[in-house]
Amino acid sequence: MAKRRGAPPARASEKGKAAPRQRATAAHPISSMLRERPALIALLLAALHLLFAFLFFEPAPHNGGDNGAYLALARSLLSGQGYREIYDPAMPVHTQYPPLFPLMVAGLLLVGFQPWVPIKVMVMLFSLAAIVGSYYWMRRKGRPELAFTVALLMALSPGVLGLSHWELSDVPFWAFTIAALLAWDRMPPGNVKRLLAATVLTLLAYFTRSAGLPLLVAIVAWLSWKRRWKQLAIFAAVMAPFVFWWWWRARTQGGVDYVQQFWWIDPYDPSKGNVGIIDLIRRAAANNTAYLTRHLPLLLIGQPSIPGKVLSFAVVILAVIGWIRRLRHAQVSELFLPLYIGLLLAWPAVWSGERFLVPALPLFLFYSAETLQRLVRRFQPQRVRVISLATAALILFLAMPALSVGVRWGMMCTRVYLSGDPYSCHTPEWKDLFAVTELANRALPDNAVIISRKPRLLWAISGGRKGRIYPLSDSPDSLIASAGRAKARYVILDRVDGLSLTYLLPALARRPAAYCVLYALGPGRTAIFGIKPDGATIKDAAPSQGQQVEFEFCGPEYWRSPAIMESILKQ
């Protein structure tokens, strides 16, 4: 009777089917969690990345200068003057940087936040979004375990963490780009809502950085290849008016955009002319070397050491193999990668850097990891998981020194910043430039125009002193003529890099009578000079070997007032 009331015994075939599933579940609980709890995994990755991003945080402003341009454009928008370069004395219409990131900065200013820390925090949140978006993009490729491993490497990447607080548009561009790739991946033919969401994300990426152009081309090519003419029509109808407006604005307003700068041999010196085919080949070769041996190693392990270079070459080779295999069922991301890398290789070499490579980083790492797993599965199928984890552990081990240095450096910079040094962890040469710039705010007349190495950053720090960069020529006539066109009476000689010593110092030294010293921090340090009104008529000094060049001191007419002149010179 008891046997009749109980459950019937399982058949042998059912036992054979059930047992392996139970053993597999018990043997791999972590794998089960990685597959079934994507939201939890994404939250853990976000928390880990956010923790290290705060530990890496440097509150002082980035010294690149683009951040000053974004701030100036944001203030121009808020002031009702339009999208203008208000740091330039002529205030031309700006046609180079798309307006989305300056609009974000303007939003922060509008609600009361001031530079630079709030802008850095905003970029940090975009870095977090990019890590999470990359994780979900890889999951959609059908590789949940691999997605977690690669996203973990990016979340702890010293290069990514270093970029996570720069007040620049590169990290937001990465976040919008990976979100767009995620939305386009496996796009259903009839899902209009998702199509519109993907189109909006593409629009946001393009208007964050002009480097979003390869994304537009990849989408158009993919939709055409799949013969999805209705989706292509909807995409074009949404994108075309905005893209055409931005293109037409640059062509009709007389500004300089990236298309023009692309063709210059040197974007810092347009007088050198345009590139030819041979120049483009040389540029691509130089960029290829730089990205393989310096920028990608910095992103992967934080240093361009021999192990970092070996790892960089291995990642690229495996990624190319993985990308070729994915072409059989290509999505937008497979078309985007070569177009974007091609743009990086053809771009002026002086602009190359790891910040431009981050949108391609998840694609490189995913394709290379997928290829590695395939190779291991072919020869050692039972050790795929072990070798994958060992490879990730090796990369993290190689990154540990840079992670340790980054954490200690960030904590020290924050501590010094909170103690009252707004330029903590900048070199003495940069601190000298910032000190002289702040002095210019107090010492010079309100309408003063300054020739300098970093006019946009100096505008942001000096309280709005307009200026332009000095000509990249050691000719005294070029410097005087450039100052005349800008109506500038002042020039700052800095020591932050070799440009001032190569171009500005010789131009000053060859015609010392055309200038006067307003203020100098000391021999061999940053100084601000006054430019005399008759500088163009003064003859160059006779060449002298080994003799120190003498400049006279500026009179009170170069200062805001005699009282300020006395108080500053007595310090």
Side-chain angles (χ1 to χ4, degrees):
M1 296 290 291
K3 287 184 179 179
R4 290 179 183 174
R5 292 195 196 101
R11 295 177 182 176
S13 59
E14 292 175 346
K15 289 181 180 179
K17 292 179 181 177
R21 283 201 300 268
Q22 292 170 356
R23 285 197 298 268
T25 303
H28 304 292
I30 296 179
S31 299
S32 177
M33 183 180 70
L34 292 176
R35 292 177 180 276
E36 299 172 6
R37 306 291 296 275
L40 176 61
I41 299 302
L43 182 62
L44 291 175
L45 288 168
L48 186 64
H49 181 67
L50 193 61
L51 171 63
F52 274 86
F54 271 114
L55 293 174
F56 266 66
F57 194 81
E58 297 178 41
H62 184 253
N63 57 14
D66 287 355
N67 51 344
Y70 292 129
L71 179 62
L73 292 169
R75 293 200 185 281
S76 178
L77 289 169
L78 291 177
S79 66
Q81 300 178 81
Y83 201 55
R84 292 183 175 274
E85 299 173 358
I86 58 175
Y87 49 81
D88 187 284
M91 295 181 61
V93 172
H94 186 79
T95 56
Q96 184 176 1
Y97 301 148
L100 185 58
F101 189 70
L103 282 169
M104 297 179 197
V105 176
L108 291 177
L109 299 177
L110 190 63
V111 298
F113 291 111
Q114 296 300 317
W116 296 95
V117 172
I119 303 176
K120 289 173 174 286
V121 173
M122 178 181 70
V123 173
M124 187 186 302
L125 295 177
F126 273 105
S127 183
L128 184 152
I131 295 295
V132 173
S134 299
Y135 167 70
Y136 276 106
W137 173 79
M138 288 181 282
R139 275 191 65 92
R140 183 160 285 173
K141 294 289 186 181
R143 301 280 187 167
E145 295 183 25
L146 189 149
F148 168 72
T149 305
V150 173
L152 178 64
L153 291 177
M154 288 193 297
L156 296 177
S157 159
V160 172
L161 290 167
L163 294 171
S164 66
H165 55 263
W166 287 11
E167 55 275 24
L168 302 175
S169 64
D170 304 279
V171 171
F173 172 66
W174 174 26
F176 286 130
T177 299
I178 198 66
L181 292 177
L182 174 63
W184 283 105
D185 200 72
R186 300 183 183 179
M187 171 70 70
N191 194 330
V192 177
K193 288 185 178 179
R194 184 169 160 187
L195 173 66
L196 291 175
T199 302
V200 170
L201 289 169
T202 305
L203 186 67
L204 293 175
Y206 180 75
F207 276 93
T208 302
R209 282 191 62 83
S210 296
L213 180 61
L215 180 60
L216 269 67
V217 175
I219 293 167
V220 172
W222 186 78
L223 290 173
S224 301
W225 175 45
K226 294 292 185 179
R227 298 181 179 274
R228 298 188 180 182
W229 308 120
K230 182 179 178 180
Q231 289 184 323
L232 178 59
I234 295 173
F235 176 75
V238 175
M239 293 291 300
F242 296 97
V243 175
F244 179 78
W245 164 77
W246 183 245
W247 174 84
W248 182 255
R249 187 175 182 276
R251 292 298 176 274
T252 58
Q253 297 296 328
V256 176
D257 62 7
Y258 278 124
V259 175
Q260 293 169 279
Q261 292 179 327
F262 172 86
W263 294 108
W264 291 342
I265 293 176
D266 185 348
Y268 294 110
D269 188 4
S271 64
K272 292 182 178 180
N274 293 339
V275 296
I277 297 298
I278 301 300
D279 297 312
L280 282 175
I281 294 173
R282 290 173 180 168
R283 178 188 289 181
N287 279 326
N288 184 63
T289 300
Y291 279 108
L292 277 174
T293 62
R294 185 168 67 252
H295 304 311
L296 185 54
L298 282 170
L299 283 178
L300 294 173
I301 65 170
Q303 51 184 330
S305 58
I306 296 299
K309 293 175 183 178
V310 172
L311 181 62
S312 173
F313 276 89
V315 164
V316 170
I317 292 171
L318 292 174
V320 170
I321 298 172
W323 170 76
I324 292 174
R325 288 184 61 90
R326 281 276 173 180
L327 284 178
R328 290 181 299 179
H329 305 285
Q331 299 293 316
V332 171
S333 51
E334 280 71 52
L335 301 184
F336 164 74
L337 181 61
L339 292 171
Y340 186 74
I341 296 302
L343 178 65
L344 294 188
L345 294 180
W347 210 239
V350 293
W351 283 342
S352 69
E354 55 269 20
R355 65 191 181 103
F356 302 121
L357 194 57
V358 287
L361 183 63
L363 283 71
F364 268 122
L365 292 179
F366 173 76
Y367 295 140
S368 61
E370 192 176 47
T371 303
L372 178 63
Q373 286 191 346
R374 285 198 182 99
L375 292 174
V376 174
R377 189 175 290 112
R378 175 173 296 182
F379 299 103
Q380 296 287 337
Q382 70 279 12
R383 297 183 179 178
V384 172
R385 182 175 288 106
V386 173
I387 294 179
S388 298
L389 293 176
T391 303
L394 175 62
I395 297 174
L396 287 177
F397 175 76
L398 293 174
M400 284 302 295
L403 281 172
S404 177
V405 169
V407 168
R408 294 201 304 270
W409 181 260
M411 294 177 68
M412 182 190 71
C413 293
T414 301
R415 184 172 62 252
V416 174
Y417 179 89
L418 293 175
S419 69
D421 182 358
Y423 308 113
S424 60
C425 292
H426 279 298
T427 64
E429 292 78 11
W430 276 104
K431 288 189 176 184
D432 281 354
L433 178 57
F434 294 144
V436 168
T437 302
E438 288 186 341
L439 178 138
N441 186 36
R442 296 184 289 120
L444 304 185
D446 290 336
N447 62 349
V449 177
I450 306 172
I451 301 294
S452 68
R453 171 72 177 87
K454 296 283 186 178
R456 300 177 297 185
L457 189 57
L458 267 59
W459 173 90
I461 293 173
S462 68
R465 294 292 180 270
K466 292 178 171 38
R468 289 180 184 167
I469 188 172
Y470 49 74
L472 299 186
S473 167
D474 59 4
S475 166
D477 290 325
S478 295
L479 180 58
I480 292 294
S482 178
R485 289 191 295 271
K487 299 181 180 179
R489 294 186 66 197
Y490 306 90
V491 57
I492 292 180
L493 174 65
D494 64 78
R495 308 286 173 155
V496 299
D497 56 26
L499 281 183
S500 290
L501 300 181
T502 301
Y503 299 112
L504 183 56
L505 183 58
L508 294 172
R510 290 176 187 174
R511 195 175 295 180
Y515 308 94
C516 57
V517 177
L518 190 82
Y519 187 84
L521 294 175
R525 297 177 65 185
T526 300
I528 182 168
F529 291 81
I531 304 172
K532 295 183 179 179
D534 57 347
T537 62
I538 296 175
K539 295 183 178 181
D540 293 353
S544 58
Q545 295 293 333
Q547 295 184 4
Q548 187 173 0
V549 178
E550 299 288 341
F551 294 90
E552 65 180 57
F553 284 98
C554 295
E557 67 273 15
Y558 285 88
W559 295 77
R560 181 189 290 267
S561 70
I564 291 177
M565 172 183 170
E566 285 187 30
S567 65
I568 291 178
L569 294 180
K570 285 180 180 179
Q571 293 178 358

